[in-house]
Amino acid sequence: MPAVTPNPSTQSDAGKPLTRRTSWAEAAAAADAAKPAKPVPAPTRLPASAQPAGTDTITSTLGATATDAEPTPPDAHTETPAFRRPRPTVADTIADKPMPDFISSPGLFVKEQKPRPVGGVRGAIFKMTGGAWNMGPGQKQRQEEELGRRISRQLQGSYNTAVLSLKGGIGKTSTTVGVGLTLAEYRGDAPCAIDANPDSGDLVERALGEGIYQQSSPRTITDLLRNIESVDSLTALARYMHHAGRLHLIAGEQDPEVSDSLTAEEYLRIRRLIAAYYSVALTDCGTGVTHNAMSGILQSADNLVIAAGYAVSGAKRARSTLHWLASHGYEDLARNAIVVITDKDEVSSRVDKDAIEEHLSGICRELIAVPHDRGVADGDLVTLDVLKPETRRAYKEIAAAIVDGYR
């Protein structure tokens, strides 16, 4: 009997290529080749109860079992079981959350510590409880800290403040020293004070004490001018300066025959040299506004301190100084001037201090009163340690107002 070979193709399939379905993988590959490629998600597993009998447990996202040759209709939907909830990865969780700013928002990670109170009832409670009760600083301490922040403000460039008056002996030099020492205490960069007084100024003596100044090498502004071309570094400049702590000073000429010879151009040469190494300079101008160096001082000044006293004549001179400045091309300096009234002679009770302050406050940017203090009135060494707290507070207010004017 002859062998009969089964014909895999029927009559209707004549002429078509022979397709052998020997495995599920080959059938799937043939189906993929017959239609556009689409991304196929990972297969999901149906619950045992939802699977038809006799089918494999792995199904595709189209809903067809592995043994099905026919695709599932497009409207068929396979529900993801409750126990198979998608779990986000760590990378997805980090990507969905905004990145915290570690610099501008340190409080997100570290609890902000309340400032420690110093002195007063708040300070006593803090000390007795070992820091367990911290009520924070009081109003006075907060004001002091704010003054310190204003004084220590970082500056871009070099600035110069001129301290002047029309009358001597009313606290001009003591104000320069007191404010200079205060600036040196609070600022990160050392300030410089220049004695441009044509009448044998005593700025360095008031800052160091006359005995110490006489024992040191008494180099003056004249010596610096004589050798200014050779000064090309801060080290070279230091040989012509004196130091009261962190306050650096240039002494005025003590010889009366030479002191009045400082010209405006010579002062400007000194100022340009100082500007290369110091961000804050104070210039003690001496008495009057018409001596030789004064035009150079006013030309290079960024703001002014007008020294005055509580005597009626002192208040009038301060007002006359402001009017003179405004009428000689220095209106901005006059408008932004700081008037400092020093109660140096402890005037009698008949003088109406409030009326004098009101008389001057309307023609300047700020008016600050320095109370009577033996550490200022004696005309000797000025040191912050021996001054009254009220006097030190006044010098801090002046220093803060000076730095506020540097724009």
Side-chain angles (χ1 to χ4, degrees):
M1 183 175 178
V4 178
T5 303
N7 187 358
S9 60
T10 62
Q11 186 69 22
S12 61
D13 294 331
K16 295 182 179 179
L18 179 62
T19 302
R20 298 180 59 194
R21 300 187 180 179
T22 59
S23 68
W24 177 87
E26 291 183 5
D32 290 342
K35 60 183 178 180
K38 294 182 179 179
V40 181
T44 58
R45 184 180 296 275
L46 289 175
S49 60
Q51 295 177 9
T55 60
D56 190 22
T57 57
I58 299 178
T59 62
S60 69
T61 56
L62 296 177
T65 63
T67 58
D68 291 338
E70 297 294 335
T72 303
D75 56 347
H77 177 69
T78 302
E79 182 180 357
T80 303
F83 65 84
R84 191 62 178 173
R85 294 177 180 174
R87 298 178 61 185
T89 64
V90 176
D92 294 335
T93 304
I94 295 176
D96 292 340
K97 292 184 178 180
M99 178 63 69
D101 191 341
F102 294 88
I103 298 176
S104 63
S105 304
L108 294 175
F109 309 97
V110 180
K111 186 177 180 181
E112 185 177 359
Q113 186 176 5
K114 190 181 296 184
R116 176 180 177 177
V118 178
V121 177
R122 294 169 182 257
I125 294 175
F126 182 89
K127 187 176 182 180
M128 287 188 299
T129 62
W133 285 7
N134 185 355
M135 302 174 66
Q139 181 180 2
K140 182 177 180 181
Q141 182 179 341
R142 292 196 300 270
Q143 291 174 349
E144 292 288 328
E145 292 174 352
E146 177 60 22
L147 284 175
R149 284 191 289 270
R150 290 166 58 193
I151 297 171
S152 61
R153 178 171 65 89
Q154 186 176 4
L155 300 173
Q156 301 295 329
S158 179
Y159 298 87
N160 179 33
T161 296
V163 186
L164 55 92
S165 67
L166 287 183
K167 180 180 182 298
I170 56 176
K172 174 185 55 61
T173 301
S174 60
T175 298
T176 305
V177 175
V179 172
L181 292 173
T182 303
L183 289 167
E185 180 180 358
Y186 284 91
R187 291 195 57 78
D189 48 353
C192 175
I194 306 170
D195 191 345
N197 192 333
D199 300 318
S200 301
D202 59 349
L203 176 68
V204 177
E205 289 94 321
R206 299 295 301 274
L208 297 179
E210 188 170 356
I212 296 178
Y213 174 65
Q214 294 299 332
Q215 294 173 7
S216 64
S217 127
R219 293 178 179 260
T220 67
I221 193 171
T222 305
D223 299 315
L224 177 57
L225 280 169
R226 187 180 299 116
N227 303 288
I228 196 169
E229 298 298 336
S230 64
V231 178
D232 55 0
S233 66
L234 185 58
T235 302
L237 178 60
R239 293 198 295 266
Y240 300 92
M241 306 190 77
H242 305 267
H243 302 83
R246 296 182 65 250
L247 175 61
H248 300 178
L249 305 109
I250 298 178
E253 181 56 57
Q254 301 300 303
D255 186 350
E257 296 183 1
V258 181
S259 60
D260 197 31
S261 64
L262 182 66
T263 65
E265 179 57 34
E266 288 173 335
Y267 173 82
L268 289 175
R269 294 180 67 190
I270 295 289
R271 174 70 192 109
R272 285 191 291 268
L273 177 64
I274 295 302
Y277 303 104
Y278 295 90
S279 61
V280 177
L282 304 177
T283 300
D284 186 358
C285 300
T287 304
V289 291
T290 58
H291 57 80
N292 293 338
M294 201 63 204
S295 61
I297 293 172
L298 294 176
Q299 178 182 336
S300 65
D302 295 283
N303 55 20
L304 300 178
V305 171
I306 308 297
Y310 272 118
V312 176
S313 59
K316 289 182 177 179
R317 287 190 178 96
R319 188 179 182 89
S320 299
T321 302
L322 293 171
H323 280 302
W324 184 92
L325 292 169
S327 60
H328 285 77
Y330 304 106
E331 185 175 354
D332 289 341
L333 288 176
R335 184 186 305 110
N336 296 310
I338 304 163
V339 174
V340 176
I341 303 180
T342 302
D343 192 3
K344 189 173 180 180
D345 299 324
E346 201 169 12
V347 296
S348 68
S349 58
R350 294 188 301 108
V351 177
D352 190 344
K353 296 181 179 180
D354 293 337
I356 292 177
E357 292 178 7
E358 183 178 359
H359 177 72
L360 293 173
S361 60
I363 57 175
C364 61
R365 174 164 62 90
E366 194 164 351
L367 185 141
I368 300 171
V370 179
H372 180 76
D373 195 319
R374 289 290 300 273
V376 174
D378 287 347
D380 196 6
L381 176 67
V382 176
T383 57
L384 298 180
D385 294 339
V386 302
L387 298 179
K388 296 179 181 179
E390 296 81 5
T391 306
R392 294 194 61 178
R393 171 63 183 265
Y395 286 149
K396 288 178 66 175
E397 291 177 353
I398 299 168
I402 287 174
V403 177
D404 287 346
Y406 296 154
R407 300 298 180 188

